[in-house]
Amino acid sequence: MHHSTFSATFVALLAGTASAVVKDWGQCGGGQGWSGDSECASGSGCIKINDYYSQCQPGAAPANLQPEPQQPPLPASSTGTPTATGTPAGTGPGKELQSGYYWVRAVAAPNFHKYMQSNPLYATGPAVLGDYTTAGQFQVVDGQLVQLVSGPGEKPEKHLYGIVSEERFINNNSLSVTWSTTKNSYGKFAWNGDGLTWSVADITRPNAAAWYVCTGQQMYINLGNYLYQTPSGCADQTIHYYNDKHANN
Ligand SMILES: *[C@@H]1O[C@H](CO)[C@@H](O)[C@H](O)[C@H]1NC(C)=O
């Protein structure tokens, strides 16, 4: 309460001044309820993390600053980015980790403790990194990345599988991952150390745990080097799993 009163006063004080430029990794315009500065420094773009928070990310393309409705459809792009057209395959396992499953998340900026999930939730559509409150639950079985989408304790369980595109996206070094009711036939996922890796026989990857998280928080397998020649609008991330009872922030 005190905090929001303070923020409102603070914003009111700022309203009479010229708007400032937001520093890299700072909050920028676009989140619901955010009335602060919206402009990122040159060379940075305002990237929506969730409905409440957008962040200036170096190298990101400037994003549309209009507040977006809950779970908007992702825009199709000229690069053939997969779109979120799916319908939910289940009600989702909830906020408590179900037996045999793991949370999967990034542990470094700009996606620190953002969790793997589907967009829309528990539905066919792209794999994204999103808020901990909507974290998905996963396991790797016979090289398949399996998302639990049925309700807690519901039997039989319902699953979606992570499908890796053979088509290349963005910098010709990125493979999309989307959720499907049918199994993946291109390459194999594995847990390695505490990382989520993907490999296929005919591609030698410098880092099998390298991922990109790009516009719309969509996840791509990065076939190139980690932290090198990162495409505009994307962040390099390695993706990790753990099994605490709840996904934490
Ligand atoms: C993309 O990468 C593939 C595999 O290395 C290569 O065969 C193809 O020529 C590349 N395409 C472009 C446009 O660079």
Side-chain angles (χ1 to χ4, degrees), residues 26-31 46-50 52-56:
Q27 183 169 10
C28 48
C46 187
I47 296 296
K48 178 180 170 180
I49 307 296
N50 57 43
Y52 305 96
Y53 185 71
S54 297
Q55 185 181 54
C56 288

Side-chain angles (χ1 to χ4, degrees), residues 4-108:
S4 59
T5 307
F6 172 78
S7 299
T9 311
F10 185 64
V11 168
L13 284 172
L14 279 181
T17 69
S19 79
V21 166
V22 180
K23 290 197 175 111
D24 287 348
W25 314 121
Q27 183 169 10
C28 48
Q32 286 174 16
W34 174 250
S35 48
D37 293 313
S38 60
E39 205 179 318
C40 299
S42 88
S44 272
C46 187
I47 296 296
K48 178 180 170 180
I49 307 296
N50 57 43
D51 286 337
Y52 305 96
Y53 185 71
S54 297
Q55 185 181 54
C56 288
Q57 295 184 6
N64 178 5
L65 298 177
Q66 295 305 313
E68 291 179 58
Q70 208 81 29
Q71 291 184 13
L74 297 172
S77 84
S78 56
T79 56
T81 305
T83 52
T85 54
T87 46
T91 55
K95 292 181 168 41
E96 199 161 288
L97 193 64
Q98 302 297 299
S99 173
Y101 289 87
Y102 299 91
W103 312 112
V104 175
R105 67 185 184 182
V107 295

